[in-house]
Amino acid sequence: MEPRSQAHSRTQMTEYVLPQHANALGGVFGGQIMAWVDLCAAICGQRHSGRQCVTAFVDDLKFQQPVRVGEVVRLDARVTAVFRTSMEIEVVVEGEDATTGRRWPCVDARLTFVAIDDARKPTDVPPLLLDTEEVRASQAAGEERRAARLVRKK
Ligand SMILES: CC(C)(COP(=O)(O)OP(=O)(O)OC[C@H]1O[C@@H](n2cnc3c(N)ncnc32)[C@H](O)[C@@H]1OP(=O)(O)O)[C@@H](O)C(=O)NCCC(=O)NCCS
């Protein structure tokens, strides 16, 4: 399979926080952020693999600062490493005050997605195009994280 670049699948989403997204404190409910993270990463994984994908694993999630009703949630997903049928995808989430342009960190998440064929079995995905030093380092770091995940799985 032909390698695909990070740019091929990079996925950005923007969500406006409405009252139905909020918890009792007026900030976005954590589960809503997690749903947007999962969606953004799934689109990214489908763009890279050209297949339907399922979420196999979510690394630790740290909520850094809240985003409140009337503010904006920006999500930016990219494939950080590719294995045989699975892909590691990082989603960086920021809050934004659209009236001032101020932005702040909200969540940094890593998820593993598996590409699925028509029989719903894991299927091979194109390798990541290792065209820069940054992407090569990202693939190497992803391979180390994957080894740790699979140890935990056992
Ligand atoms: C994810 C799933 C397809 C893996 O199936 P499986 O029978 O374990 O398949 P395999 O053992 O062949 O593993 C397939 C790939 O998943 C990876 N994988 C499986 N479990 C993993 C885990 N906990 N963490 C990281 N990677 C994992 C394997 O390393 C392998 O990757 P590789 O081919 O790149 O080496 C299966 O467990 C599943 O369908 N889970 C439910 C998914 C789901 O419902 N998600 C929520 C809705 S989208």
Side-chain angles (χ1 to χ4, degrees):
M1 274 191 238
E2 281 291 302
R4 286 188 172 159
S5 67
Q6 267 186 345
H8 179 89
S9 55
R10 188 165 175 181
T11 302
Q12 291 166 319
M13 284 173 30
T14 305
E15 299 287 340
Y16 189 77
V17 181
L18 294 167
Q20 63 261 36
H21 301 132
N23 60 23
L25 300 170
V28 188
F29 176 52
Q32 178 63 65
I33 300 260
M34 286 157 68
W36 285 331
V37 163
D38 196 30
L39 276 174
C40 192
I43 295 167
C44 182
Q46 291 183 11
R47 285 177 173 166
H48 182 85
S49 64
R51 294 282 189 174
Q52 293 294 324
C53 297
V54 293
T55 318
F57 192 85
V58 182
D59 289 12
D60 295 342
L61 266 184
K62 185 180 172 209
F63 290 88
Q64 297 160 58
Q65 290 179 57
V67 186
R68 301 189 188 285
V69 172
E71 295 174 337
V72 172
V73 175
R74 303 170 61 106
L75 300 104
D76 187 357
R78 65 197 171 104
V79 174
T80 45
V82 173
F83 314 110
R84 191 175 69 80
T85 66
S86 63
M87 300 157 279
E88 182 191 69
I89 296 173
E90 180 183 37
V91 185
V92 175
V93 184
E94 288 181 325
E96 177 189 342
D97 180 337
T99 64
T100 62
R102 185 176 74 88
R103 289 199 212 171
W104 57 94
C106 175
V107 167
D108 195 349
R110 277 203 175 80
L111 302 88
T112 302
F113 275 78
V114 177
I116 298 294
D117 66 13
D118 295 342
R120 304 193 175 199
K121 298 284 180 210
T123 188
D124 288 10
V125 298
L128 187 59
L129 182 66
L130 304 177
D131 55 346
T132 66
E133 192 49 50
E134 194 185 349
V135 182
R136 283 190 285 277
S138 170
Q139 173 73 31
E143 284 171 11
E144 283 185 21
R145 286 188 293 264
R146 173 177 182 272
R149 281 180 206 114
L150 295 183
V151 166
R152 282 173 67 183
K153 186 185 173 196
K154 282 179 192 159

